[in-house]
Amino acid sequence: MNILGIETSCDETSASVLSDGRVCSNVVSSQRCHRSFGGVVPELASREHERLIVSIVDAAVTEANIRKNELDVIAATAGPGLIGAVMVGLCFAQGMAWALGLPFVPVNHVEAHIFSPFIDEGASHCAPAGAFVSLTVSGGHTLLSVVESDLSYEVIGRTLDDAAGEAFDKTGKMLGLSYPAGPVIDRLAEKGDPYFHLFPRALTSRSQTSKSYRGNFDFSFSGLKTSVLNWLQKQTPEFIEQHTPDIAASIQWAIVSVLVEKTIDAARSRGIKAVSIAGGVSANSALRKAMKEACDKEGITLHVPGTVYSTDNAAMIATLAAVKLSRGMKGEYRYNISPYASFGGGSRKG
Ligand code: KG4
Ligand code: ZN
């Protein structure tokens, strides 16, 4: 079965062809037009998707070495995301499905991230045999979920304010780094001291309140943002310039240590022996290393996506569509768009 997946929920235009569960192409174009703005400008994102969608889909089909009339199903991100951006991919996918007389499968973007660590294992093995704890961390989401082997899941923690990727991007902007600052901080931090300055870790056992937050799986990163801003305002430009790698490493460690602590705590409290990380921030080298060390210490198996499947990509959309179809879901011929699409309709618990 050949499935074409399309992803346009934020600032990546992507298309992928999955043949019998194997990724045959995964073309991703990251928009550069937002760099000087320090964040994604929704209107520009929609226009860029509109400009690129035809050539990206063509490239994905050509790279997979098939013709469009050999496609069996078309899938696209149906939310959550920037409404204009989602609409470009969704309307294009539905139009193409209609023109080719094919069924269309809408896919939830965050669910696709959750299952992205298992893409290389093939769609039919899209999850480990038992339950696993998923940490999904991107520019828009920070979620801890318990996922069962039947693919149902329960969200047990989420951010109360900023997402982890947003914390990287906004503190990076304060340091004068270009958008998206997450990968830049990652690179700079390699040469820095993560203990140079201790920034706050909200809602953790290290929070400076008498209340213990063990067992609380929610996150909060807005205090970190304020703390970085206040601290930077007290330093001279020369000091900041001289210590940029140390500051980047300290910010990174403040975010990563919270993500690791909460994820391991969740796995321990539920007696679950498998953990996965997903979403753009899961590309972070310090997060990968610290999570691996913590999992090894606890005898937990860690599942990590290939770096191309960490950030937004269409292979994860096509893969989740394949899994849903293999479990009896039928394609549709109409679908409503929602920027606030909730998780998973029938598959979410709680
Ligand atoms: O999943 P994604 O591509 O898009 C959303 O669905 O939001 O995630 C993008 C986010 C951005 O905030 C970006 O700064 C962050 O992922 N990111 C990273 C790294 N690579 C991407 N953050 C930290 N370290 C990285 N290496
Ligand atoms: Zn994403």
Side-chain angles (χ1 to χ4, degrees):
M1 180 191 278
N2 293 323
I3 301 178
L4 171 69
I6 293 177
E7 154 63 33
T8 62
S9 68
C10 191
D11 58 343
E12 261 89 27
T13 315
S14 180
S16 165
V17 173
L18 195 77
S19 293
D20 297 329
R22 195 172 59 84
V23 179
C24 293
S25 63
N26 182 38
V27 181
V28 183
S29 171
S30 299
Q31 302 176 353
R32 301 178 72 85
C33 54
H34 309 286
R35 288 189 172 227
S36 57
F37 295 97
V40 178
V41 183
E43 176 65 21
L44 291 182
S46 311
R47 288 173 189 226
E48 276 295 281
H49 289 308
E50 186 76 53
R51 192 173 70 79
L52 289 172
I53 188 82
V54 174
S55 55
I56 296 289
V57 167
D58 269 345
V61 172
T62 305
E63 202 180 306
N65 215 9
I66 60 164
R67 281 165 302 162
K68 289 192 183 89
N69 62 9
E70 289 176 277
L71 290 167
D72 298 295
V73 177
I74 298 184
T77 298
L82 303 171
I83 184 72
V86 171
M87 275 181 74
V88 175
L90 192 54
C91 292
F92 183 90
Q94 286 179 310
M96 192 169 165
W98 180 80
L100 293 171
L102 299 177
F104 168 74
V105 175
V107 172
N108 180 295
H109 179 84
V110 181
E111 279 181 16
H113 271 305
I114 290 178
F115 296 101
S116 64
F118 310 101
I119 289 176
D120 281 336
E121 293 164 32
S124 52
H125 308 288
C126 199
F132 66 99
V133 170
S134 160
L135 173 72
T136 309
V137 268
S138 70
H141 300 276
T142 302
L143 285 179
L144 256 183
S145 327
V146 173
V147 187
E148 304 292 344
S149 48
D150 65 358
L151 306 190
S152 65
Y153 60 91
E154 178 191 2
V155 176
I156 59 171
R158 60 178 75 231
T159 185
L160 303 179
D161 38 57
D162 293 347
E166 213 178 338
F168 272 104
D169 295 337
K170 288 187 174 162
T171 54
K173 189 178 176 193
M174 293 169 195
L175 269 177
L177 308 178
S178 63
Y179 177 86
V184 188
I185 289 183
D186 192 350
R187 271 196 306 280
L188 281 169
E190 278 171 26
K191 291 174 241 113
D193 174 8
Y195 302 103
F196 181 72
H197 183 80
L198 187 72
F199 289 112
R201 280 100 164 119
L203 306 180
T204 69
S205 51
R206 298 183 69 163
S207 307
Q208 290 174 343
T209 70
S210 54
K211 193 172 168 196
S212 165
Y213 282 98
R214 206 153 272 285
N216 176 319
F217 301 123
D218 286 332
F219 301 85
S220 169
F221 293 109
S222 64
L224 168 67
K225 200 173 58 183
T226 312
S227 165
V228 171
L229 182 64
N230 289 340
W231 186 80
L232 285 175
Q233 279 170 349
K234 289 187 202 129
Q235 317 304 324
T236 63
E238 295 75 28
F239 178 88
I240 295 172
E241 199 183 326
Q242 190 188 346
H243 290 289
T244 304
D246 296 321
I247 302 167
S250 301
I251 292 170
Q252 176 173 271
W253 189 229
I255 299 169
V256 165
S257 58
V258 173
L259 298 177
V260 173
E261 176 181 318
K262 299 238 172 201
T263 307
I264 298 296
D265 225 20
R268 215 190 268 141
S269 74
R270 300 284 178 124
I272 294 174
K273 288 293 182 190
V275 156
S276 76
I277 55 174
V281 178
S282 72
N284 184 267
S285 53
L287 175 62
R288 286 174 175 237
K289 184 164 177 278
M291 193 68 89
K292 178 81 179 99
E293 284 169 6
C295 283
D296 286 350
K297 219 162 121 196
E298 296 281 327
I300 292 171
T301 307
L302 177 63
H303 299 273
V304 178
T307 24
V308 282
Y309 304 133
S310 285
T311 43
D312 288 349
N313 67 90
M316 69 182 188
I317 305 301
T319 300
L320 190 52
V323 173
K324 289 185 172 222
L325 291 167
S326 74
R327 294 180 181 225
M329 180 186 163
K330 296 268 177 282
E332 339 182 331
Y333 292 85
R334 286 188 70 81
Y335 191 73
N336 291 326
I337 298 162
S338 166
Y340 306 112
S342 67
F343 303 102
S347 66
R348 183 188 171 185
K349 281 183 179 170

